[in-house]
Amino acid sequence: MEKRATFGHWWIGIAFAIPQIILIFTFFYWPAGQAVYWSMTLQQPWGGGNIWVGLDNFRQILTDPLYWNSVVRSFVFALFSTLLAMGIGLVLAVFVDRELAGSKVYRVVMIWPYGIAAPALALAFRFMLAPEAGLLAFVNRLWPGLWDPGLDGTDAMIAVIVAFSWKYVGYNFVFFLSALQGIPKSLTEAAALDGAGWIRRLRDIQLPMLTPTVFFLLVIDITESFQDSFGIVDIMTSGGPARATELMVYKIYFDGFRGLDYSGAAAQSIILMILIVALTVLQFRFIERRVHYK
Amino acid sequence: MKKTLLASAALAALMITTGAQAAEKTKFDFWFGLSGDLEKRVQEVCARFNASQNDYEVVCTSQGNYDAALQNTIAAFRAGKQPTVVQVYDVGTATMMLSDAFVPAYELMEKNGYKIDWKDYIGGIAGYYASSKGQMFSFPFNSSTPLLYWNKTAFEKIGKTAAPKTWEEAHADAEALKKAGYECPIAINVSQNESWQLLEQFSAIHGEPVASKNNGYDGLDAELVFNKTKFVKYIKDLKAWYDAGLVKIKSKDQGQDMVQAFAAGDCQMIMTSVGDHGTVGRTAKEDLSWDVAMLPVYEGTERKNSLVGGASLWTLKGKSPAEYKAAAAFLAFVAEPESALFWSTVTGYVPVTESGFAYMKSHGFYDKAPYKGREVAIASLTATPPTPLTRGLRLGGFTQIRAEVGNGLQEIFSGKSDVQTAIDGMVTRGNAILRRFEATYKGKTLP
């Protein structure tokens, strides 16, 4: 007997889908299509007209050695901030899962950083990491000149990575914790009865069961680190010193919104979009193989 | 507090009594980019205008900062919801002039029956916002120019009672200050838009070009040339003095920017806008004795006028004649000498007209602290009549060019590359931006 709900008319299903399709179209496909069009023209910001230039914008960007430097920097940023945010998030989640003292409070508090707007967060970190007046000033008293994000590019990069990771630690923590708590207690208890210590249980039982979450967070964190970093960079370093923290997304923001070069910024965002799509495909292709969903 | 309460009560009373006419008032929007304390000051200007007459009402809205004011106005303009008047910062001038989106100031005033004496505008200020034919396209609003701030107490210790007039003298003073135990004789910053003091103003007062075609006034095909001017020697000197410990870099990233460092007495000379005059006065440590002077020039240089910084007021296309009438009344009001006195008193900005300056002098504005010294800014702006190289800069994509200059300076002062290479790099990359801008406006010419 047919138990599936069926629609009497072919258009009812489509009618249900239309609100969603309209939303996606207005807020994603239409602007994305517009960006593709803009990237192949030179747009006058005030709307006075545009000139078709084909792929010239892309050629100009991709032949600029400094642009490739910013691509490399974006990868460095993505790698370290993802590692840091996921690593710390996982450790904290394990602690809370083991119900160490105060874990109930941490469970609530840890997500807060994720709710802080990037500029506010960056401002706070700029104060804390200021070499002369901040919390790190003591480092410079011990070793003068060791910490100077104002002129040292590596220091500046470390500063933005730390600020960005701090925001995402809480986000990762929540996912890790819920995944840890979804692992059947019977498994860990059985292992404990067999004499496995908590490190052993973590390595052999919990971590393998966490792989779907690890994979999910990896994809999200990497994507976000390519997209969500410009607010922090803008306030903390403005891409400097000497371009040391000029990430791809910051360059898009700067050229487009400050420099009014809409076409150049559109072309750069197309490149970024392709890159993120490619990265995600790669991750699904090669990393997902090692993920155990059941 | 009491005063503002009283004022608003008076305003409210005024509004009630004029309620009948209020319905017929022509309302128009004015968007601006200042925030914080300066936002309140602009709102006071708006309130003064609204209280001064019964026909028009300006609605003033801060957009947070200059960039946002320009972006939001562009977005609004493309959607047909633009304000009537908008404040645009100095570096946006070239983009505005090519936008085809504005009503030139001289045309607006003429059509609405206002006779503005354009010659009254201080030369160094007018040139920045005028077409190459000398017609004013926008009204200078908040205007400033950089000055040398110097610590009198420290200079007394090395037996001097005046600020250095030349860079040779400044160098000698810096060395003497260092010997006298001062850690930071000169503070500079290279993290933001210091291209303004270090490149643009330096080039103007030395009569050197930043770009060909009279700094871009004569065509969009101008090219940057500051890798072949005195600017190179200047940066080489600054770098050498930095290496010798005479120049320190003070930026927000480090915890103390140069204005704070000067006000705290930690650094003895800085170059910053006259707009910071009030800040230094308010935040200076108690026994700090300080003054301002014109920026030094190299020996053997005939000093030229410095350039105006800040922003101007543009009237946008697509509004009704009634709104233009209201806007013209507002702009005329802002240009009055009384407004100049009010504006310069509550901010650090300078008057933009000769008559405003004279009016302020006659009211004794410059005779006593905390405003004493600000007349040096006018002296700097009017040091000579503007030459073709000291009218201003008319270069497209200038926000990005400034960023290139900033990046280059950071390379130099962090020791990543030598001075000439880095400056050549700024010019090459800056020229690419100019060519892009030229291609975007293909077939258009600067007015």
Side-chain angles (χ1 to χ4, degrees), chain B residues 342-367:
Chain B
F342 173 78
W343 179 239
S344 298
T345 308
V346 297
T347 68
Y349 295 113
V350 300
V352 295
T353 55
E354 301 282 0
S355 60
F357 182 51
Y359 181 80
M360 287 167 66
K361 267 200 292 199
S362 70
H363 276 68
F365 178 81
Y366 294 109
D367 296 343

PDB file of all heavy atoms in Angstrom, chain B residues 342-367:
ATOM      1  N   PHE B 342      32.181  79.984  15.891  1.00  0.00           N
ATOM      2  CA  PHE B 342      31.576  78.924  16.699  1.00  0.00           C
ATOM      3  C   PHE B 342      32.264  77.590  16.436  1.00  0.00           C
ATOM      4  O   PHE B 342      32.688  76.890  17.349  1.00  0.00           O
ATOM      5  CB  PHE B 342      30.084  78.813  16.365  1.00  0.00           C
ATOM      6  CG  PHE B 342      29.413  77.637  17.030  1.00  0.00           C
ATOM      7  CD1 PHE B 342      29.055  77.697  18.372  1.00  0.00           C
ATOM      8  CD2 PHE B 342      29.176  76.466  16.328  1.00  0.00           C
ATOM      9  CE1 PHE B 342      28.470  76.603  18.984  1.00  0.00           C
ATOM     10  CE2 PHE B 342      28.587  75.374  16.938  1.00  0.00           C
ATOM     11  CZ  PHE B 342      28.231  75.443  18.265  1.00  0.00           C
ATOM     12  N   TRP B 343      32.419  77.255  15.165  1.00  0.00           N
ATOM     13  CA  TRP B 343      32.958  75.962  14.757  1.00  0.00           C
ATOM     14  C   TRP B 343      34.397  75.784  15.230  1.00  0.00           C
ATOM     15  O   TRP B 343      34.783  74.739  15.745  1.00  0.00           O
ATOM     16  CB  TRP B 343      32.829  75.855  13.235  1.00  0.00           C
ATOM     17  CG  TRP B 343      33.341  74.601  12.608  1.00  0.00           C
ATOM     18  CD1 TRP B 343      34.320  74.526  11.659  1.00  0.00           C
ATOM     19  CD2 TRP B 343      32.887  73.256  12.827  1.00  0.00           C
ATOM     20  NE1 TRP B 343      34.504  73.226  11.291  1.00  0.00           N
ATOM     21  CE2 TRP B 343      33.640  72.426  11.995  1.00  0.00           C
ATOM     22  CE3 TRP B 343      31.919  72.684  13.662  1.00  0.00           C
ATOM     23  CZ2 TRP B 343      33.471  71.039  11.952  1.00  0.00           C
ATOM     24  CZ3 TRP B 343      31.756  71.297  13.623  1.00  0.00           C
ATOM     25  CH2 TRP B 343      32.517  70.502  12.783  1.00  0.00           C
ATOM     26  N   SER B 344      35.217  76.829  15.059  1.00  0.00           N
ATOM     27  CA  SER B 344      36.616  76.710  15.467  1.00  0.00           C
ATOM     28  C   SER B 344      36.764  76.696  16.972  1.00  0.00           C
ATOM     29  O   SER B 344      37.738  76.169  17.496  1.00  0.00           O
ATOM     30  CB  SER B 344      37.436  77.871  14.892  1.00  0.00           C
ATOM     31  OG  SER B 344      37.409  77.823  13.494  1.00  0.00           O
ATOM     32  N   THR B 345      35.791  77.289  17.669  1.00  0.00           N
ATOM     33  CA  THR B 345      35.871  77.279  19.125  1.00  0.00           C
ATOM     34  C   THR B 345      35.572  75.889  19.670  1.00  0.00           C
ATOM     35  O   THR B 345      36.253  75.408  20.573  1.00  0.00           O
ATOM     36  CB  THR B 345      34.864  78.287  19.723  1.00  0.00           C
ATOM     37  OG1 THR B 345      35.069  79.544  19.094  1.00  0.00           O
ATOM     38  CG2 THR B 345      35.078  78.433  21.215  1.00  0.00           C
ATOM     39  N   VAL B 346      34.569  75.241  19.114  1.00  0.00           N
ATOM     40  CA  VAL B 346      34.184  73.943  19.673  1.00  0.00           C
ATOM     41  C   VAL B 346      34.993  72.792  19.077  1.00  0.00           C
ATOM     42  O   VAL B 346      34.971  71.680  19.588  1.00  0.00           O
ATOM     43  CB  VAL B 346      32.667  73.659  19.499  1.00  0.00           C
ATOM     44  CG1 VAL B 346      31.858  74.683  20.270  1.00  0.00           C
ATOM     45  CG2 VAL B 346      32.256  73.623  18.043  1.00  0.00           C
ATOM     46  N   THR B 347      35.708  73.024  17.972  1.00  0.00           N
ATOM     47  CA  THR B 347      36.587  71.991  17.424  1.00  0.00           C
ATOM     48  C   THR B 347      37.972  72.603  17.276  1.00  0.00           C
ATOM     49  O   THR B 347      38.178  73.756  17.641  1.00  0.00           O
ATOM     50  CB  THR B 347      36.116  71.539  16.029  1.00  0.00           C
ATOM     51  OG1 THR B 347      36.300  72.632  15.120  1.00  0.00           O
ATOM     52  CG2 THR B 347      34.661  71.128  16.028  1.00  0.00           C
ATOM     53  N   GLY B 348      38.893  71.846  16.724  1.00  0.00           N
ATOM     54  CA  GLY B 348      40.226  72.403  16.507  1.00  0.00           C
ATOM     55  C   GLY B 348      40.417  72.905  15.089  1.00  0.00           C
ATOM     56  O   GLY B 348      41.502  73.297  14.703  1.00  0.00           O
ATOM     57  N   TYR B 349      39.339  72.864  14.293  1.00  0.00           N
ATOM     58  CA  TYR B 349      39.492  73.205  12.875  1.00  0.00           C
ATOM     59  C   TYR B 349      39.675  74.699  12.663  1.00  0.00           C
ATOM     60  O   TYR B 349      39.336  75.513  13.519  1.00  0.00           O
ATOM     61  CB  TYR B 349      38.291  72.689  12.084  1.00  0.00           C
ATOM     62  CG  TYR B 349      38.208  71.192  12.077  1.00  0.00           C
ATOM     63  CD1 TYR B 349      37.179  70.531  12.711  1.00  0.00           C
ATOM     64  CD2 TYR B 349      39.194  70.443  11.441  1.00  0.00           C
ATOM     65  CE1 TYR B 349      37.116  69.142  12.717  1.00  0.00           C
ATOM     66  CE2 TYR B 349      39.141  69.052  11.443  1.00  0.00           C
ATOM     67  CZ  TYR B 349      38.097  68.407  12.089  1.00  0.00           C
ATOM     68  OH  TYR B 349      38.055  67.050  12.095  1.00  0.00           O
ATOM     69  N   VAL B 350      40.190  75.055  11.495  1.00  0.00           N
ATOM     70  CA  VAL B 350      40.521  76.452  11.218  1.00  0.00           C
ATOM     71  C   VAL B 350      39.399  77.093  10.408  1.00  0.00           C
ATOM     72  O   VAL B 350      38.638  76.396   9.727  1.00  0.00           O
ATOM     73  CB  VAL B 350      41.854  76.562  10.428  1.00  0.00           C
ATOM     74  CG1 VAL B 350      42.986  75.954  11.226  1.00  0.00           C
ATOM     75  CG2 VAL B 350      41.747  75.905   9.064  1.00  0.00           C
ATOM     76  N   PRO B 351      39.276  78.421  10.478  1.00  0.00           N
ATOM     77  CA  PRO B 351      38.312  79.093   9.610  1.00  0.00           C
ATOM     78  C   PRO B 351      38.763  78.938   8.157  1.00  0.00           C
ATOM     79  O   PRO B 351      39.961  78.841   7.895  1.00  0.00           O
ATOM     80  CB  PRO B 351      38.391  80.548  10.056  1.00  0.00           C
ATOM     81  CG  PRO B 351      39.738  80.690  10.659  1.00  0.00           C
ATOM     82  CD  PRO B 351      40.041  79.372  11.288  1.00  0.00           C
ATOM     83  N   VAL B 352      37.800  78.928   7.224  1.00  0.00           N
ATOM     84  CA  VAL B 352      38.172  78.674   5.827  1.00  0.00           C
ATOM     85  C   VAL B 352      38.154  79.942   4.981  1.00  0.00           C
ATOM     86  O   VAL B 352      38.559  79.910   3.824  1.00  0.00           O
ATOM     87  CB  VAL B 352      37.268  77.601   5.191  1.00  0.00           C
ATOM     88  CG1 VAL B 352      37.487  76.264   5.873  1.00  0.00           C
ATOM     89  CG2 VAL B 352      35.805  77.991   5.260  1.00  0.00           C
ATOM     90  N   THR B 353      37.670  81.046   5.546  1.00  0.00           N
ATOM     91  CA  THR B 353      37.662  82.288   4.768  1.00  0.00           C
ATOM     92  C   THR B 353      38.505  83.351   5.466  1.00  0.00           C
ATOM     93  O   THR B 353      38.687  83.323   6.684  1.00  0.00           O
ATOM     94  CB  THR B 353      36.233  82.847   4.618  1.00  0.00           C
ATOM     95  OG1 THR B 353      35.667  83.001   5.927  1.00  0.00           O
ATOM     96  CG2 THR B 353      35.352  81.918   3.800  1.00  0.00           C
ATOM     97  N   GLU B 354      38.976  84.302   4.660  1.00  0.00           N
ATOM     98  CA  GLU B 354      39.733  85.428   5.212  1.00  0.00           C
ATOM     99  C   GLU B 354      38.851  86.208   6.187  1.00  0.00           C
ATOM    100  O   GLU B 354      39.296  86.618   7.257  1.00  0.00           O
ATOM    101  CB  GLU B 354      40.172  86.372   4.078  1.00  0.00           C
ATOM    102  CG  GLU B 354      41.033  85.729   3.006  1.00  0.00           C
ATOM    103  CD  GLU B 354      42.486  85.535   3.425  1.00  0.00           C
ATOM    104  OE1 GLU B 354      42.817  85.914   4.563  1.00  0.00           O
ATOM    105  OE2 GLU B 354      43.262  84.998   2.614  1.00  0.00           O
ATOM    106  N   SER B 355      37.570  86.394   5.802  1.00  0.00           N
ATOM    107  CA  SER B 355      36.695  87.197   6.653  1.00  0.00           C
ATOM    108  C   SER B 355      36.417  86.474   7.969  1.00  0.00           C
ATOM    109  O   SER B 355      36.333  87.104   9.026  1.00  0.00           O
ATOM    110  CB  SER B 355      35.397  87.529   5.924  1.00  0.00           C
ATOM    111  OG  SER B 355      34.727  86.342   5.566  1.00  0.00           O
ATOM    112  N   GLY B 356      36.294  85.137   7.904  1.00  0.00           N
ATOM    113  CA  GLY B 356      36.100  84.367   9.125  1.00  0.00           C
ATOM    114  C   GLY B 356      37.309  84.506  10.046  1.00  0.00           C
ATOM    115  O   GLY B 356      37.175  84.708  11.258  1.00  0.00           O
ATOM    116  N   PHE B 357      38.489  84.439   9.429  1.00  0.00           N
ATOM    117  CA  PHE B 357      39.731  84.561  10.192  1.00  0.00           C
ATOM    118  C   PHE B 357      39.827  85.946  10.832  1.00  0.00           C
ATOM    119  O   PHE B 357      40.139  86.087  12.023  1.00  0.00           O
ATOM    120  CB  PHE B 357      40.917  84.286   9.264  1.00  0.00           C
ATOM    121  CG  PHE B 357      42.261  84.342   9.937  1.00  0.00           C
ATOM    122  CD1 PHE B 357      42.503  83.617  11.098  1.00  0.00           C
ATOM    123  CD2 PHE B 357      43.292  85.115   9.404  1.00  0.00           C
ATOM    124  CE1 PHE B 357      43.745  83.659  11.714  1.00  0.00           C
ATOM    125  CE2 PHE B 357      44.537  85.156  10.012  1.00  0.00           C
ATOM    126  CZ  PHE B 357      44.761  84.437  11.163  1.00  0.00           C
ATOM    127  N   ALA B 358      39.512  86.965  10.035  1.00  0.00           N
ATOM    128  CA  ALA B 358      39.567  88.343  10.544  1.00  0.00           C
ATOM    129  C   ALA B 358      38.561  88.524  11.683  1.00  0.00           C
ATOM    130  O   ALA B 358      38.873  89.147  12.710  1.00  0.00           O
ATOM    131  CB  ALA B 358      39.275  89.327   9.411  1.00  0.00           C
ATOM    132  N   TYR B 359      37.367  87.976  11.503  1.00  0.00           N
ATOM    133  CA  TYR B 359      36.324  88.085  12.523  1.00  0.00           C
ATOM    134  C   TYR B 359      36.790  87.456  13.831  1.00  0.00           C
ATOM    135  O   TYR B 359      36.608  88.003  14.911  1.00  0.00           O
ATOM    136  CB  TYR B 359      35.069  87.392  12.001  1.00  0.00           C
ATOM    137  CG  TYR B 359      33.887  87.437  12.944  1.00  0.00           C
ATOM    138  CD1 TYR B 359      33.096  88.583  13.038  1.00  0.00           C
ATOM    139  CD2 TYR B 359      33.555  86.332  13.721  1.00  0.00           C
ATOM    140  CE1 TYR B 359      32.005  88.626  13.886  1.00  0.00           C
ATOM    141  CE2 TYR B 359      32.465  86.357  14.572  1.00  0.00           C
ATOM    142  CZ  TYR B 359      31.690  87.507  14.656  1.00  0.00           C
ATOM    143  OH  TYR B 359      30.615  87.548  15.490  1.00  0.00           O
ATOM    144  N   MET B 360      37.424  86.288  13.704  1.00  0.00           N
ATOM    145  CA  MET B 360      37.897  85.595  14.904  1.00  0.00           C
ATOM    146  C   MET B 360      39.015  86.370  15.577  1.00  0.00           C
ATOM    147  O   MET B 360      39.081  86.450  16.803  1.00  0.00           O
ATOM    148  CB  MET B 360      38.363  84.178  14.545  1.00  0.00           C
ATOM    149  CG  MET B 360      37.187  83.260  14.233  1.00  0.00           C
ATOM    150  SD  MET B 360      37.677  81.736  13.458  1.00  0.00           S
ATOM    151  CE  MET B 360      38.609  80.980  14.763  1.00  0.00           C
ATOM    152  N   LYS B 361      39.915  86.935  14.752  1.00  0.00           N
ATOM    153  CA  LYS B 361      41.004  87.733  15.327  1.00  0.00           C
ATOM    154  C   LYS B 361      40.431  88.924  16.081  1.00  0.00           C
ATOM    155  O   LYS B 361      40.858  89.243  17.177  1.00  0.00           O
ATOM    156  CB  LYS B 361      41.947  88.214  14.211  1.00  0.00           C
ATOM    157  CG  LYS B 361      43.106  87.272  13.994  1.00  0.00           C
ATOM    158  CD  LYS B 361      44.262  87.955  13.285  1.00  0.00           C
ATOM    159  CE  LYS B 361      43.893  88.291  11.847  1.00  0.00           C
ATOM    160  NZ  LYS B 361      45.064  88.541  10.985  1.00  0.00           N
ATOM    161  N   SER B 362      39.431  89.573  15.460  1.00  0.00           N
ATOM    162  CA  SER B 362      38.872  90.776  16.087  1.00  0.00           C
ATOM    163  C   SER B 362      38.138  90.423  17.376  1.00  0.00           C
ATOM    164  O   SER B 362      37.931  91.269  18.236  1.00  0.00           O
ATOM    165  CB  SER B 362      37.933  91.491  15.117  1.00  0.00           C
ATOM    166  OG  SER B 362      36.768  90.714  14.934  1.00  0.00           O
ATOM    167  N   HIS B 363      37.737  89.177  17.522  1.00  0.00           N
ATOM    168  CA  HIS B 363      37.100  88.770  18.774  1.00  0.00           C
ATOM    169  C   HIS B 363      38.106  88.236  19.791  1.00  0.00           C
ATOM    170  O   HIS B 363      37.726  87.668  20.805  1.00  0.00           O
ATOM    171  CB  HIS B 363      36.031  87.702  18.503  1.00  0.00           C
ATOM    172  CG  HIS B 363      34.723  88.300  18.089  1.00  0.00           C
ATOM    173  ND1 HIS B 363      34.567  88.950  16.893  1.00  0.00           N
ATOM    174  CD2 HIS B 363      33.527  88.364  18.705  1.00  0.00           C
ATOM    175  CE1 HIS B 363      33.327  89.391  16.787  1.00  0.00           C
ATOM    176  NE2 HIS B 363      32.667  89.054  17.876  1.00  0.00           N
ATOM    177  N   GLY B 364      39.377  88.375  19.444  1.00  0.00           N
ATOM    178  CA  GLY B 364      40.415  87.981  20.385  1.00  0.00           C
ATOM    179  C   GLY B 364      40.572  86.481  20.557  1.00  0.00           C
ATOM    180  O   GLY B 364      41.145  86.016  21.550  1.00  0.00           O
ATOM    181  N   PHE B 365      40.078  85.727  19.584  1.00  0.00           N
ATOM    182  CA  PHE B 365      40.104  84.263  19.696  1.00  0.00           C
ATOM    183  C   PHE B 365      41.523  83.733  19.875  1.00  0.00           C
ATOM    184  O   PHE B 365      41.764  82.841  20.676  1.00  0.00           O
ATOM    185  CB  PHE B 365      39.470  83.664  18.434  1.00  0.00           C
ATOM    186  CG  PHE B 365      39.466  82.161  18.392  1.00  0.00           C
ATOM    187  CD1 PHE B 365      38.499  81.435  19.064  1.00  0.00           C
ATOM    188  CD2 PHE B 365      40.432  81.470  17.663  1.00  0.00           C
ATOM    189  CE1 PHE B 365      38.484  80.051  19.013  1.00  0.00           C
ATOM    190  CE2 PHE B 365      40.418  80.076  17.614  1.00  0.00           C
ATOM    191  CZ  PHE B 365      39.446  79.381  18.292  1.00  0.00           C
ATOM    192  N   TYR B 366      42.467  84.328  19.133  1.00  0.00           N
ATOM    193  CA  TYR B 366      43.826  83.777  19.114  1.00  0.00           C
ATOM    194  C   TYR B 366      44.734  84.365  20.188  1.00  0.00           C
ATOM    195  O   TYR B 366      45.910  84.040  20.248  1.00  0.00           O
ATOM    196  CB  TYR B 366      44.457  84.013  17.739  1.00  0.00           C
ATOM    197  CG  TYR B 366      43.767  83.236  16.638  1.00  0.00           C
ATOM    198  CD1 TYR B 366      42.987  83.873  15.688  1.00  0.00           C
ATOM    199  CD2 TYR B 366      43.891  81.855  16.572  1.00  0.00           C
ATOM    200  CE1 TYR B 366      42.351  83.152  14.688  1.00  0.00           C
ATOM    201  CE2 TYR B 366      43.261  81.118  15.575  1.00  0.00           C
ATOM    202  CZ  TYR B 366      42.485  81.785  14.645  1.00  0.00           C
ATOM    203  OH  TYR B 366      41.870  81.062  13.657  1.00  0.00           O
ATOM    204  N   ASP B 367      44.177  85.250  21.048  1.00  0.00           N
ATOM    205  CA  ASP B 367      45.036  85.948  22.002  1.00  0.00           C
ATOM    206  C   ASP B 367      45.374  85.111  23.226  1.00  0.00           C
ATOM    207  O   ASP B 367      46.362  85.340  23.890  1.00  0.00           O
ATOM    208  CB  ASP B 367      44.369  87.255  22.454  1.00  0.00           C
ATOM    209  CG  ASP B 367      44.225  88.204  21.269  1.00  0.00           C
ATOM    210  OD1 ASP B 367      44.914  87.954  20.262  1.00  0.00           O
ATOM    211  OD2 ASP B 367      43.421  89.152  21.348  1.00  0.00           O
TER     212      ASP B 367
END
